[in-house]
Amino acid sequence: MGELKNWYMSKTVWGGVVAILASCSHLLGVEIGLDDQSGLVDGLTALATAAGGLVAIWGRISATKRLR
């Protein structure tokens, strides 16, 4: 079995989100090219990684029990 990761760390998930947003934006008359979609996936993955790190740090700071 392979290494596990959180859903928000998956480029596949973010690629799907960007594809859905690109489709919806097309309905509104806004075109998002494939290069821009790729950049959005990379940016969203980086933001999700940073958010995960911040949540982990906040969780440790706000914890009521000490680590051994």
Side-chain angles (χ1 to χ4, degrees):
M1 199 155 147
E3 182 180 331
L4 298 177
K5 63 182 174 182
N6 292 322
W7 68 268
Y8 56 82
M9 299 291 288
S10 170
K11 284 191 175 188
T12 303
V13 170
W14 289 113
V17 169
V18 169
I20 292 167
L21 292 175
S23 286
C24 292
S25 69
H26 180 69
L27 294 173
L28 300 173
V30 177
E31 294 291 330
I32 300 177
L34 292 177
D35 290 339
D36 293 332
Q37 289 181 32
S38 177
L40 283 170
V41 168
D42 290 340
L44 288 171
T45 303
L47 283 173
T49 302
L54 289 171
V55 168
I57 291 170
W58 174 78
R60 181 64 257 160
I61 290 171
S62 65
T64 57
K65 295 184 181 180
R66 295 175 20 160
L67 295 175
R68 290 185 199 203

